[in-house]
Amino acid sequence: MTDHTTIDGTAREIREPAPAKTARTIPARTWVVAAIAAPLALGAAGLSLAQGTPFQPTPVDPVAIQALASSSATAIKGEVAEIYGNKFVVQDPTGRALVETGPAGEGGTLVAKGEAVTVQGRFETGFLHASVLTHGDGRKVVIGPAGGPPTGSLDWAKDRLGLGPNPDVPALTAAVQAAGYGDVRVTGRGPRHLDVAAKDRDGREHALHVGFDGQVRERPVPGARP
């Protein structure tokens, strides 16, 4: 008796093993941007981010409208006499002043005719460009940009995360005074500087650029007499 072994001769394709995928290296900069962007995106879903206090200009005591002069930081108090779109007229016993509010006042609903208001801002070329509006009942409205780095910039993102510079305003004010100025009023904030209004020893108004490192530089005051 003969044993026969049958071998199946059906041809089969033998596949080569797939080569292992090479891991892609992600640049370090991508991780940094993602680390900042992710929390910002999640913020819309309720993530609480560390944020600095919104910028507030230094409060300024009102002056008589008749005494208004070119300044980066001045204020008036009176009654709303007329409204023209995003502009309105404030009247006090000494005269009238035209206040400009920019986009915030479009539609003429920011104030009401006859109400008492205090307006702080920059006075030049016959206009008071409002930055803070205080209603008769004490409600305050900050008009215009809140200050700080441009929205969407890396400096802005750092500020939102609490990683940006935290200016020491009292120390910077002292640096301005040490440079020979008085009546120091902070009017704005940039990524790494403060905008400041101040007066020299002769009482003349100056606009200053004060770096967070304490460096004080002059800026021209629009409309000011030399």
Side-chain angles (χ1 to χ4, degrees), residues 36-37 40 49-50 149-150 152-164:
I36 293 175
L40 292 176
L49 300 175
S153 67
L154 185 57
D155 285 325
W156 172 83
K158 288 180 179 178
D159 264 13
R160 294 281 293 180
L161 290 171
L163 302 176

Side-chain angles (χ1 to χ4, degrees), residues 4-213:
H4 296 281
T5 302
T6 303
I7 300 174
D8 183 2
T10 304
R12 292 182 176 84
E13 179 183 2
I14 301 177
R15 299 180 180 275
E16 293 291 334
K21 292 184 178 179
T22 304
R24 183 186 174 197
T25 302
I26 300 176
R29 179 178 174 80
T30 302
W31 286 114
V32 173
V33 173
I36 293 175
L40 292 176
L42 289 171
L47 179 64
S48 177
L49 300 175
Q51 299 182 42
T53 303
F55 171 77
Q56 294 280 349
T58 302
V60 177
D61 291 331
V63 300
I65 289 176
Q66 190 179 45
L68 276 173
S70 295
S71 173
S72 297
T74 190
I76 58 174
K77 183 177 182 178
E79 182 179 287
V80 177
E82 304 289 345
I83 301 173
Y84 306 100
N86 67 347
K87 299 179 179 64
F88 60 90
V89 175
V90 174
Q91 177 177 306
D92 74 2
T94 70
R96 290 183 163 205
L98 186 60
V99 177
E100 195 273 332
T101 62
E106 293 293 347
T109 59
L110 195 59
V111 294
K113 187 174 180 179
E115 78 163 308
V117 295
T118 301
V119 186
Q120 178 174 327
R122 183 182 79 256
F123 184 71
E124 62 183 56
T125 60
F127 285 82
L128 181 61
H129 301 270
S131 58
V132 180
L133 170 69
T134 304
H135 292 274
D137 59 5
R139 290 180 296 116
K140 283 192 175 184
V141 179
V142 177
I143 300 171
T151 302
S153 67
L154 185 57
D155 285 325
W156 172 83
K158 288 180 179 178
D159 264 13
R160 294 281 293 180
L161 290 171
L163 302 176
N166 186 21
D168 186 340
V169 176
L172 295 175
T173 299
V176 174
Q177 293 170 334
Y181 299 95
D183 191 14
V184 180
R185 291 144 285 151
V186 179
T187 62
R189 193 209 138 174
R192 295 177 182 84
H193 77 276
L194 296 179
D195 292 318
V196 170
K199 292 182 179 179
D200 62 21
R201 292 182 177 89
D202 296 324
R204 290 175 298 192
E205 185 83 3
H206 293 264
L208 307 175
H209 180 290
V210 184
F212 291 168
D213 58 359

